[in-house]
């Protein structure tokens, strides 16, 4: 699974270590040392993955991922940071990062994360059945990586899209936070279940008319979340 990878890291020794491990696995690697160069390379090189340090000169990693997602670029983003606070982690994911590792980290674990991200990206892009997932007026197209509600397109980050497509494939099924977290990041002791809550909150803002009173993406208290057709839910409620 060879890929085009950009490593944005201002620590030259750290960048060289990551480059060597990536190239050992057959990937093509471009190394940059600041945020603006990372943006330029991401725009020009059509990378499969961006390994992005948070603290960099000229533009930090959070600004880089914010801009890339605003430009609707679907490159997978793995953020690296010395910040261990959960709020920083959630902010990175909220902006559209796909995974997040805190320093110091094991290069072997980093490569495992890279393989997981690339496998998920390729799996989502490689589906050829053309089947659009529909839950009421919500439509999720796994091939085109598109979401629409009432015929209007909705922009989702890669993480949000994976979560939504997972639930749309089995409407009305209750997913635990742990199950959704495994779909997003694998079984990772460093990632909090609050990550799922952040994605759910952001998705509600995009697919619900009243995010504080959701009718599609529902909380099952004490268990997790489920995706519903609002019309079916209303019909059942009126039948009681």
């Amino acid at each position: 699974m060879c890929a085009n990878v950009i490593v944005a890291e201002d620590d030259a020794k750290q960048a060289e270590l990551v480059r060597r491990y990536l190239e050992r696995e057959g990937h093509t690697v471009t190394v940059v040392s600041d945020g603006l160069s990372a943006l330029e390379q991401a725009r020009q090189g059509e990378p499969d993955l961006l390994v992005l340090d948070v603290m960099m000169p000229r533009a930090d990693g959070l600004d880089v991922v914010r801009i890339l997602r605003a430009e609707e670029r679907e490159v997978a983003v793995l953020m690296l940071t010395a910040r261990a606070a959960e709020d920083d982690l959630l902010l990175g994911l909220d902006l559209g990062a796909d995974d997040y590792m805190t320093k110091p980290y094991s290069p072997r674990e980093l490569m495992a994360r890279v393989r997981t991200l690339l496998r998920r990206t390729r799996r989502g892009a490689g589906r050829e059945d053309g089947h659009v997932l529909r839950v009421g007026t919500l439509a999720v197209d796994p091939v085109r990586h598109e979401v629409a509600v009432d015929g209007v397109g909705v922009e989702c980050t890669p993480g949000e899209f994976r979560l939504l497509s997972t639930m749309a494939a089995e409407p009305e099924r209750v997913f635990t936070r742990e199950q959704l977290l495994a779909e997003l990041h694998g079984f990772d002791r460093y990632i909090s279940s609050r990550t799922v809550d952040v994605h759910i909150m952001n998705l509600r803002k995009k697919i619900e008319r009243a995010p504080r009173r959701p009718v599609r993406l529902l909380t099952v208290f004490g268990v997790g979340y489920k995706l519903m057709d609002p019309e079916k839910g209303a019909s059942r409620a009126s039948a009681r």
Side-chain angles (χ1 to χ4, degrees):
M1 190 182 295
C2 298
N4 180 12
V5 182
I6 297 172
V7 176
E9 168 65 77
D10 64 337
D11 184 322
K13 291 183 178 179
Q14 192 73 23
E16 177 63 13
L17 178 65
V18 175
R19 182 188 67 78
R20 288 181 180 180
Y21 270 85
L22 287 167
E23 289 183 344
R24 189 179 299 172
E25 296 205 358
H27 303 303
T28 300
V29 183
T30 301
V31 176
V32 297
S33 59
D34 64 82
L36 293 184
S37 296
L39 277 172
E40 182 180 353
Q41 287 295 323
R43 289 163 173 165
Q44 296 178 357
E46 297 184 357
D48 301 296
L49 173 66
L50 174 58
V51 179
L52 180 65
D53 187 29
V54 171
M55 300 299 293
M56 287 189 299
R58 300 180 72 195
D60 69 24
L62 295 174
D63 287 333
V64 171
V65 73
R66 182 187 293 111
I67 293 169
L68 290 176
R69 295 314 185 212
E71 294 177 352
E72 301 179 15
R73 299 182 187 274
E74 296 181 358
V75 56
V77 177
L78 171 59
M79 300 197 78
L80 307 175
T81 181
R83 298 172 176 174
E86 187 181 61
D87 287 345
D88 290 326
L89 182 154
L90 293 174
L91 176 58
L93 296 172
D94 190 22
L95 291 173
D98 297 283
D99 204 352
Y100 203 108
M101 291 189 69
T102 55
K103 300 178 180 180
Y105 54 82
S106 161
R108 292 179 61 186
E109 182 183 359
L110 175 62
M111 292 306 104
R113 299 283 194 95
V114 166
R115 287 191 294 271
T116 298
L117 271 178
L118 291 175
R119 186 162 56 246
R120 288 182 180 137
T121 303
R122 300 285 172 83
R123 183 177 62 195
R127 292 184 58 175
E128 299 178 354
D129 56 11
H131 179 58
V132 177
L133 305 171
R134 299 186 186 278
V135 184
T137 59
L138 170 70
V140 181
D141 189 332
V143 175
R144 294 181 175 84
H145 206 279
E146 294 176 348
V147 176
V149 178
D150 299 323
V152 179
V154 175
E155 295 298 334
C156 293
T157 68
E160 291 166 359
F161 185 86
R162 280 199 302 276
L163 188 151
L164 190 59
S165 59
T166 295
M167 301 182 77
E170 298 184 70
E172 301 189 35
R173 172 185 169 181
V174 179
F175 290 86
T176 67
R177 286 177 175 82
E178 289 72 23
Q179 288 169 331
L180 294 173
L181 192 62
E183 177 63 26
L184 287 169
H185 299 287
F187 295 99
D188 181 355
R189 65 186 182 278
Y190 297 112
I191 302 295
S192 164
S193 61
R194 279 190 60 198
T195 301
V196 172
D197 298 334
V198 171
H199 284 303
I200 293 291
M201 179 182 65
N202 290 334
L203 280 169
R204 282 175 172 161
K205 293 176 182 177
K206 297 176 180 182
I207 70 172
E208 299 279 5
R209 292 182 180 178
R212 294 182 180 274
R213 298 188 298 277
V215 295
R216 299 178 188 275
L217 194 45
L218 305 181
T219 300
V220 180
F221 292 100
V223 184
Y225 300 100
K226 65 179 178 179
L227 189 64
M228 292 284 297
D229 177 350
E231 294 298 325
K232 287 185 178 180
S235 297
R236 291 173 184 172
S238 63
R240 291 172 184 169

